[in-house]
């Protein structure tokens, strides 16, 4: 082992319940996004046994409020989020980074910090993120006024919401496809059709896959929600478990009404010895891989992500490990199809897929969820020295993938998979092509039925022309009965007639 070998030496998590009596906020202000991250960062520093002045590199995961107008915070926030978190641990880092959108961000930041540590540019790095959407919404409902604004001085880098290729096209926006659930609905329905399942059977399949996660969440002190759900609770529609976007019911998907934060501290072996960090705190990054998937219509198979398959395989290869070597795993679980694909590839059907409890049950703290997963993987590796843990991060609609392997056992050689080579593999996947101007007879490849307050209101489809070319279109002449039949799978494989229109293409049942 070289002195510049990077290690994780501290992990911290935090959860703040919303008080039953909101008047509590009159004397004790509700915690902000920065507070959640700050509490977690303090816990991680305490775990590492270090003080803030040792930190020279700070990165923060982007909050949902800074990611989308749909989550805009009416109470303000820090002008420089990573420096606000740094202030809470008494740090004045030379480098402060506010990262891009996506659940892959925590794992890619761990890899970035590891490389900066190896190069000697950095001595101690902290990665932290937090969300206080539950407090924000509770305050709005109660009419409580909060002030979360902060001003901090110092250099920082705001990478903005996006870097590199976009994960959404103008055609998709024109068809009203702006939320993650719509895209995952397409993926899930395509997955159901490929497996030959009815909607009811597939819902049961999804429910049985994720129900065990709720039991994990019920035992996790950092989980926002502690209720245990049976497969029946998840698969059966009800007033409390209403239809969202087909085929999803409320209990199947991530819950973002949370107050949670997570943080990790990283350094090198040489600095850890200098600072007196005991070896029983050390956990190594054994393998890392990341990639971005093609746009939806340019994927070889709408029911899965080729990038996810490749990234998992390449991360394992970088770690000199196989699927049978994995002792602990936390798989991103915003929607069941992600868990299902990972469980299949990792041969973990019937095995634990989460250490946190998963986004539908533990909570979905925005882009920061995977940092909670990494914290749990590190803790699991410490409890069982010599074991191997896997943390999976997912952004967009299975668009951005990042996987890290962790262990208390050091691995010689490069732990970083070749990002350029992986990108080439992803780009090389074959697809039937797509058109923005479809016309003529077609078939339905996948679809979603949007619901409002549990009732069907609209349908959007991915179709294929007779030559296989894909397109998006809005389904026309659909009353409530037809939309209900479509959502129930009664129109699977329907023939269509499609025509180009503005802003969205139109399709009819043939």
């Amino acid at each position: 082992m070289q002195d510049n070998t990077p290690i994780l030496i501290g992990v911290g998590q935090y959860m703040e319940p919303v008080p039953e009596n909101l008047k509590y906020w009159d004397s004790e202000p509700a915690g902000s996004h920065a507070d959640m991250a700050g509490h977690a960062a303090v816990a991680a520093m305490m775990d590492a046994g270090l003080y803030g002045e040792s930190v020279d590199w700070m990165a923060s995961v982007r909050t949902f409020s800074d990611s989308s107008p749909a989550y805009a915070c009416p109470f303000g926030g820090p002008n420089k989020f990573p420096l606000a978190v740094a202030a809470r641990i008494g740090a004045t880092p030379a480098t402060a980074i506010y990262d891009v959108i996506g659940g892959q961000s925590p794992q890619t930041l761990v890899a970035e910090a590891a490389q900066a540590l190896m190069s000697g540019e950095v001595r101690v790095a902290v990665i932290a993120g937090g969300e206080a959407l539950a407090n924000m919404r509770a305050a709005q409902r109660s009419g409580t006024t909060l002030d979360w604004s902060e001003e901090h001085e110092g250099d920082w880098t705001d990478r903005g919401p996006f870097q590199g290729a976009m994960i959404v096209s103008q055609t998709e926006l024109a068809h009203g496809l702006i939320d993650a659930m719509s895209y995952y609905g397409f993926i899930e329905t395509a997955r159901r059709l490929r497996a030959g399942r009815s909607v009811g059977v597939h819902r049961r399949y999804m429910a049985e896959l994720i129900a065990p996660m709720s039991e994990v969440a019920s035992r996790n002190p950092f989980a926002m929600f502690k209720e245990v759900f049976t497969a029946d609770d998840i698969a059966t529609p009800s007033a409390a478990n209403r239809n969202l976007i087909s085929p999803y019911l409320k209990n199947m998907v991530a819950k973002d009404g949370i107050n949670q934060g997570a943080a990790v501290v990283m350094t090198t072996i040489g600095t850890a010895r200098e600072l007196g960090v005991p070896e029983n705190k050390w956990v190594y990054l054994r393998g890392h891989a990341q990639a971005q998937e093609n746009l939806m219509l340019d994927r070889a198979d709408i029911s899965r992500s080729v990038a996810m398959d490749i990234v998992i395989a390449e991360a394992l290869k970088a770690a000199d490990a196989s699927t049978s070597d994995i002792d602990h795993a936390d798989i991103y679980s915003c929607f069941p199809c992600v868990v299902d694909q990972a469980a299949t590839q990792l041969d973990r059907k019937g095995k634990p897929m989460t250490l946190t409890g998963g986004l539908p049950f533990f909570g979905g703290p925005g882009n920061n969820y995977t940092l909670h997963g990494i914290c749990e993987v590190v803790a699991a590796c410490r409890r069982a020295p010599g074991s191997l843990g896997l943390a999976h991060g997912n952004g967009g609609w299975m668009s951005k993938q990042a996987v890290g392997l962790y262990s208390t056992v050091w691995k010689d050689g490069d732990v970083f998979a070749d990002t350029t080579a992986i990108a080439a593999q992803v780009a090389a996947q074959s697809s039937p092509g797509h058109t923005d101007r479809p016309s003529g007879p077609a078939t339905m490849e996948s679809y979603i039925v949007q619901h409002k307050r549990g009732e069907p209101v609209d349908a959007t489809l991915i179709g294929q022309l007779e030559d296989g070319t894909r397109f998006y279109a809005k389904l026309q002449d659909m009353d409530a009965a037809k939309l209900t039949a479509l959502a129930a799978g009664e129109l699977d494989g329907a023939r269509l007639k499609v025509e180009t229109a503005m802003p969205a293409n139109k399709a009819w049942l043939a």
Side-chain angles (χ1 to χ4, degrees):
M1 292 186 292
Q2 302 296 316
D3 279 353
N4 69 340
T5 301
I7 49 177
L8 286 82
I9 56 170
V11 295
Q13 298 183 74
Y14 180 77
M15 184 276 289
E16 180 177 297
V18 178
E20 293 183 10
N21 181 4
L22 296 182
K23 290 183 179 180
Y24 164 81
W25 287 346
D26 294 339
S27 58
E28 291 287 341
S32 66
H33 306 305
D35 289 330
M36 301 303 144
H39 283 301
V42 168
M45 293 296 289
M46 291 177 65
D47 183 42
L50 300 182
Y51 294 100
E53 58 262 29
S54 64
V55 176
D56 56 352
W57 192 93
M58 166 71 73
S60 290
V61 179
R62 197 172 202 86
T63 66
F64 259 20
S65 290
D66 288 337
S67 299
S68 167
Y71 292 89
C73 181
F75 308 122
N79 64 325
K80 299 177 180 180
F81 193 91
L83 293 179
V85 180
R88 285 161 168 79
I89 59 172
T92 53
T95 300
I97 298 167
Y98 200 28
D99 205 24
V100 298
I101 290 173
Q104 80 294 334
S105 173
Q107 178 57 43
T108 59
L109 285 173
V110 166
E112 182 178 347
Q115 291 169 325
L117 288 161
M118 289 172 63
S119 71
E121 301 169 15
V122 176
R123 281 173 52 82
V124 177
V126 172
I127 302 165
E131 294 285 349
L133 292 170
N135 279 345
M136 185 180 86
R137 291 169 181 168
Q140 289 175 291
R141 288 193 301 269
S142 67
T144 302
T145 299
L146 302 172
D147 183 4
W148 287 349
S149 60
E150 300 179 33
E151 291 291 325
H152 296 272
E153 297 295 330
D155 293 335
W156 74 314
T157 299
D158 183 354
R159 291 175 172 167
F162 307 104
Q163 279 188 341
M166 296 294 288
I167 63 172
V168 61
S169 69
Q170 288 299 319
T171 298
E172 289 166 330
L173 295 176
H175 285 81
L177 301 173
I178 58 176
D179 61 297
M181 196 180 303
S182 295
Y183 293 94
Y184 281 103
F186 284 131
I187 295 168
E188 198 78 66
T189 294
R191 201 166 185 85
R192 172 182 73 80
L193 293 171
R194 183 170 287 276
R197 301 187 188 106
S198 68
V199 170
V201 169
H202 189 68
R203 278 182 170 166
R204 185 76 191 186
Y205 177 85
M206 290 189 288
E208 291 178 350
L209 178 70
I210 66 174
M213 292 182 168
S214 71
E215 297 178 10
V216 177
S218 72
R219 301 188 296 269
N220 189 331
F222 302 109
M224 194 74 190
F225 311 103
K226 301 297 178 69
E227 182 180 356
V228 175
F229 290 83
T230 66
D232 284 341
D233 295 330
I234 297 169
T236 306
S238 67
N241 190 30
R242 66 184 184 279
N243 283 285
L244 299 176
I245 286 178
S246 62
Y248 294 127
L249 303 175
K250 182 179 178 182
N251 291 340
M252 296 175 174
V253 305
K255 294 181 175 66
D256 58 15
I258 51 80
N259 299 320
Q260 291 172 313
V264 300
V265 182
M266 298 176 64
T267 189
T268 61
I269 286 176
T271 303
R273 287 176 173 151
E274 177 188 330
L275 296 175
V277 181
E279 288 194 32
N280 63 3
K281 297 286 187 180
W282 301 3
V283 173
Y284 300 92
L285 178 62
R286 282 281 300 268
H288 167 85
Q290 64 188 69
Q292 181 165 320
E293 182 56 272
N294 292 351
L295 291 170
M296 183 71 72
L297 297 190
D298 294 327
R299 299 181 185 184
D301 180 353
I302 289 174
S303 73
R304 66 186 304 105
S305 166
V306 168
M308 182 172 165
D309 284 340
I310 295 171
V311 165
I312 290 174
E314 292 298 318
L316 285 167
K317 187 186 298 183
D320 289 339
S322 66
T323 57
S324 61
D325 295 322
I326 299 171
D327 300 293
H328 328 286
D330 192 83
I331 303 302
Y332 205 89
S333 50
C334 51
F335 296 91
C337 54
V338 184
V339 183
D340 191 32
Q341 180 171 333
T344 301
Q345 185 177 358
L346 294 170
D347 192 25
R348 292 191 72 82
K349 290 289 181 69
K351 298 178 182 179
M353 296 296 290
T354 184
L355 298 172
T356 65
L359 286 94
F361 312 111
F362 168 83
N367 302 313
N368 199 51
Y369 169 80
T370 303
L371 201 53
H372 289 271
I374 293 169
C375 287
E376 294 288 353
V377 167
V378 168
C381 289
R382 286 175 174 174
R383 289 193 298 268
S387 60
L388 184 69
L390 180 147
H392 167 239
N394 171 82
W397 14 101
M398 298 174 85
S399 307
K400 303 176 184 180
Q401 300 293 321
V403 170
L405 277 297
Y406 297 87
S407 179
T408 58
V409 177
W410 170 72
K411 170 194 171 290
D412 192 11
D414 193 359
V415 300
F416 302 100
D418 187 334
T419 301
T420 302
I422 294 174
Q425 290 183 64
V426 173
Q429 65 181 290
S430 60
S431 79
H434 73 272
T435 178
D436 295 337
R437 301 178 62 82
S439 180
T443 56
M444 192 155 47
E445 184 177 6
S446 189
Y447 65 88
I448 54 172
V449 176
Q450 291 98 335
H451 291 72
K452 187 174 183 178
R453 298 185 180 89
E455 297 300 320
V457 295
D458 195 13
T460 308
L461 60 88
I462 295 175
Q464 287 188 294
L465 299 174
E466 291 186 329
D467 65 358
T469 304
R470 287 181 179 138
F471 61 87
Y472 287 111
K474 304 290 288 186
L475 206 49
Q476 308 295 303
D477 298 334
M478 297 293 286
D479 57 22
K482 288 181 180 178
L483 288 171
T484 298
L486 178 63
E490 296 172 14
L491 303 178
D492 289 350
R495 296 288 300 171
L496 306 168
K497 177 184 176 183
V498 62
E499 67 178 37
T500 300
M502 294 295 288
N505 299 317
K506 296 180 180 181
W508 294 262
L509 296 176

